[in-house]
Amino acid sequence: MNIGAIVTATVLVALVGLFIGVFLGAAGKKFAVEVDEKEVAIREALPGNNCGGCGYPGCDGLAAAIAKGEAPVNRCPVGGEPVGKIIAGIMGQEAGKKYPSDCICKV
């Protein structure tokens, strides 16, 4: 056995691993996606049923619309008034009252 070949291979693998780690770390910082903290908080408050009863393609779509101001804070038919109040607190608004005619549910 040639111990020099083993040491050389070990050092080469370590250097390649170090290079790849530094490259991926830099790429992760350069190409990082900025996330709206309100949208994340709203998404966590929603029940997560992804039913589409609100008229949006799941809870992620509704959270994005609420954060942009395109949907009312009490739009979620599954979460109802309690979730509407939580989201209103996140957005700094008042939840208001949701009437049955506001529901987009398909019968």
Side-chain angles (χ1 to χ4, degrees), residues 1-16:
M1 263 210 283
N2 185 355
I3 195 77
I6 294 173
V7 170
T8 303
T10 303
V11 169
L12 181 64
V13 169
L15 288 175
V16 169

Side-chain angles (χ1 to χ4, degrees), residues 20-56:
I20 290 173
V22 169
F23 175 76
L24 288 176
K29 295 229 186 264
K30 173 132 176 93
F31 298 112
V33 177
E34 292 183 25
V35 178
D36 184 4
E37 297 301 322
K38 282 187 179 180
E39 184 177 334
V40 172
I42 292 168
R43 176 62 186 95
E44 290 174 358
L46 290 170
N49 289 15
N50 292 322
C51 64
C54 58
Y56 290 91

